[in-house]
């Protein structure tokens, strides 16, 4: 059919079609996103996760924000198949000559139908708009066509991503931890887009995934700053507030993990615990006399609060063992200090005898030993009393 069309007319025709449909799709996406936000009523959980007191953790942890993830998933469930179908229809209707183009109506909701074919094609085009099948014998012909299709799809769907970004920002403001589940949802849909016609949709989902990761990392950085601020505002006394709060935070994040968001959460754990332990050691040095007791209390609290999670989460298990080693080292230092404090004069007696063996003549050793021994007896009698 394409051979019977004037190629000079196709460019303006495609642009006109894309401009008209883009306005319609953009309006539908914006209105749908606004409806989702307006219809979702949720109480906002605490924002200062690692500064709040332990008593307030229970109420914060009981706030259910799953409706935020449901709203975002509904947006993807409705519009990702729609955008893929419109892209596929546009590619066929505008006579793009691209071998292997999926016909309109194929599964585009993140669930892979026809798994054998999907597995075979997964490596052919898995990075946005890059890559086509070079074994079709028409590489020189289809490459410009694929490029032209991608440019047209950019015109067709450009601007719609902003309506998805609005939902991500909205979800972040309600509950930053929901970024974990949003990341997993996005990754699942992204893995389901393999056709050439879904190139722009893959880019859209990839940008969404990056934005969600950026927002979550922003939350992690702000929480780490909360911990650092506690170094200036917290006295060296008892268990620091962020120790039990971190266990609550980790428990909630584990509930939200889906798919590849495991890596996102593990990286957050590494940042959190690293700054927690560094701040703990700095606070301990403000009063060296009680430093070891302070470390013992906090490392023990860390282990107690994370015992269950450390049994199932490998990253937390690593930090659990790190805290255990730090606890043992603090315990050894504390015991050494107690022993030296209680038997300081005994150690001085032993050192004095050792010094006498090298500093006085042999004939005077017995006399000096008797003098030192009498001093020791006087010291020992104080314990008997």
């Amino acid at each position: 059919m394409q051979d019977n069309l004037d190629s000079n007319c196709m460019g303006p025709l495609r642009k006109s079609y894309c401009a008209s449909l883009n306005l319609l799709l953009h309006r539908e996406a914006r209105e749908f996103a606004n409806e989702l936000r307006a219809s979702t009523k949720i109480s906002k959980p605490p924002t200062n996760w690692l500064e709040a007191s332990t008593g307030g953790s229970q109420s914060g942890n009981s706030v259910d924000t799953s409706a935020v993830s449901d709203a975002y998933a509904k947006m993807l469930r409705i519009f990702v198949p729609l955008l893929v179908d419109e892209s596929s229809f546009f590619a066929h209707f505008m006579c793009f000559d691209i071998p292997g183009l999926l016909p309109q109506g194929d599964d585009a909701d993140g669930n892979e139908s026809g798994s054998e074919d999907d597995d075979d094609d997964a490596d052919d085009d898995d990075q946005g708009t890059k890559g086509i099948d070079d074994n079709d014998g028409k590489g020189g012909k289809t490459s410009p066509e694929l490029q032209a299709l991608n440019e047209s799809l950019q015109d067709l769907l450009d601007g719609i991503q902003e309506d998805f970004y609005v939902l991500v920002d909205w979800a972040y403001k309600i509950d930053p931890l929901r970024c974990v589940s949003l990341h997993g949802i996005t990754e699942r849909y992204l893995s389901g887009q393999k056709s050439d016609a879904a190139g722009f949709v893959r880019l859209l989902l990839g940008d969404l995934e990056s934005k969600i990761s950026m927002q979550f990392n922003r939350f992690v950085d702000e929480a780490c700053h909360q911990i650092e601020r506690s170094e200036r505002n917290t006295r060296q006394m008892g268990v620091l507030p962020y120790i039990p709060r971190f266990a609550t935070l980790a428990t909630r994040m584990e509930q939200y993990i889906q798919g590849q968001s495991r890596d996102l959460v593990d990286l957050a754990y590494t940042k959190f615990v690293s700054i927690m332990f560094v701040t703990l050691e700095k606070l301990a040095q403000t009063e060296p006399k009680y430093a070891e007791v302070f470390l013992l209390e906090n490392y023990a609290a860390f282990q107690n609060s994370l015992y269950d999670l450390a049994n199932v989460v490998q990253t937390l298990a690593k930090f659990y063992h790190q805290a255990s080693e730090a606890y043992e080292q603090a315990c050894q230092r504390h015991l050494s200090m107690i022993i030296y404090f209680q038997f300081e004069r005994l150690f001085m007696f032993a050192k004095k005898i050792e010094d006498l063996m090298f500093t006085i003549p042999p004939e005077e050793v017995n006399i000096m030993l008797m003098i030192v021994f009498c001093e020791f007896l006087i010291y020992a009698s104080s314990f008997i009393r």
Side-chain angles (χ1 to χ4, degrees), residues 218-283:
R218 172 186 165 191
F219 161 75
V220 172
D221 291 339
E222 290 177 351
C224 288
H225 290 323
Q226 293 174 17
I227 297 175
E228 289 177 327
R229 286 196 297 269
S230 70
E231 180 185 348
R232 300 188 295 268
N233 302 327
T234 304
R235 295 181 59 190
Q236 189 203 75
M237 183 182 300
V239 177
L240 296 174
Y242 60 71
I243 297 293
R245 287 296 297 166
F246 173 72
T248 303
L249 185 70
T251 300
R252 189 151 186 167
M253 284 197 289
E254 288 299 316
Q255 296 171 353
Y256 295 165
I257 288 179
Q258 299 184 31
Q260 297 300 318
S261 53
R262 171 84 269 167
D263 296 336
L264 188 71
V265 171
D266 285 345
L267 181 60
Y269 288 156
T270 301
K271 291 182 178 180
F272 281 140
V273 179
S274 296
I275 195 66
M276 284 168 59
F277 286 177
V278 168
T279 303
L280 178 60
E281 294 288 342
K282 287 182 178 179
L283 280 171

Side-chain angles (χ1 to χ4, degrees), residues 4-22:
N4 298 328
L5 297 175
D6 185 353
S7 58
N8 295 327
C9 296
M10 294 304 297
L13 179 61
R14 291 168 177 172
K15 284 186 175 295
S16 177
Y17 179 93
C18 290
S20 300
L21 190 58
N22 176 267

Side-chain angles (χ1 to χ4, degrees), residues 74-86:
K74 187 174 183 179
M75 182 76 175
L76 294 190
R77 186 168 63 250
I78 297 298
F79 275 89
V80 167
L82 173 63
L83 297 180
V84 173
D85 286 347
E86 290 293 344

Side-chain angles (χ1 to χ4, degrees), residues 87-313:
S87 300
S88 181
F89 174 79
F90 172 78
H92 285 86
F93 185 62
M94 291 299 171
C95 303
F96 286 93
D97 185 13
I98 299 177
L101 196 65
L102 285 177
Q104 182 186 8
D106 276 3
D107 188 19
D109 62 356
N111 300 317
E112 300 179 22
S113 61
S115 58
E116 295 182 358
D117 293 337
D118 285 344
D119 291 341
D120 293 339
D121 294 339
D123 297 329
D124 291 342
D125 188 5
D126 196 32
Q127 302 292 330
T129 57
K130 298 179 181 179
I132 58 173
D133 189 354
D134 293 329
N135 297 322
D136 58 13
K138 299 180 181 181
K141 181 179 180 181
T142 57
S143 183
E145 282 291 287
L146 182 57
Q147 181 179 357
L149 173 61
N150 289 329
E151 292 174 355
S152 295
L153 292 178
Q154 178 76 24
D155 295 334
L156 179 67
L157 305 176
D158 189 35
I160 296 177
Q161 62 269 30
E162 297 299 328
D163 302 306
F164 290 84
Y165 295 163
V166 166
L167 275 183
V168 173
D169 293 336
W170 166 74
Y172 176 80
K173 290 179 181 178
I174 293 178
D175 184 2
L177 296 185
R178 276 293 161 186
C179 289
V180 176
S181 59
L182 266 57
H183 186 277
I185 294 170
T186 307
E187 188 273 334
R188 186 177 72 248
Y189 275 88
L190 181 59
S191 65
Q193 309 308 318
K194 296 183 175 66
S195 71
D196 289 328
F200 185 86
V201 177
R202 282 195 302 275
L203 289 178
L204 167 64
L205 292 171
D207 290 343
L208 274 174
E209 196 172 43
S210 298
K211 183 176 180 62
I212 292 168
S213 298
M214 181 184 68
Q215 292 283 46
F216 183 70
N217 290 332
R218 172 186 165 191
F219 161 75
V220 172
D221 291 339
E222 290 177 351
C224 288
H225 290 323
Q226 293 174 17
I227 297 175
E228 289 177 327
R229 286 196 297 269
S230 70
E231 180 185 348
R232 300 188 295 268
N233 302 327
T234 304
R235 295 181 59 190
Q236 189 203 75
M237 183 182 300
V239 177
L240 296 174
Y242 60 71
I243 297 293
R245 287 296 297 166
F246 173 72
T248 303
L249 185 70
T251 300
R252 189 151 186 167
M253 284 197 289
E254 288 299 316
Q255 296 171 353
Y256 295 165
I257 288 179
Q258 299 184 31
Q260 297 300 318
S261 53
R262 171 84 269 167
D263 296 336
L264 188 71
V265 171
D266 285 345
L267 181 60
Y269 288 156
T270 301
K271 291 182 178 180
F272 281 140
V273 179
S274 296
I275 195 66
M276 284 168 59
F277 286 177
V278 168
T279 303
L280 178 60
E281 294 288 342
K282 287 182 178 179
L283 280 171
Q285 299 309 314
T286 58
E287 294 187 43
K289 182 178 180 181
Y290 305 104
E292 309 308 335
V293 174
F294 178 70
L295 292 174
L296 286 172
E297 290 177 339
N298 281 274
Y299 282 125
F302 181 86
Q303 295 177 78
N304 292 335
S305 61
L306 282 180
Y307 179 79
D308 293 332
L309 283 177
N311 284 326
V312 294
V313 181

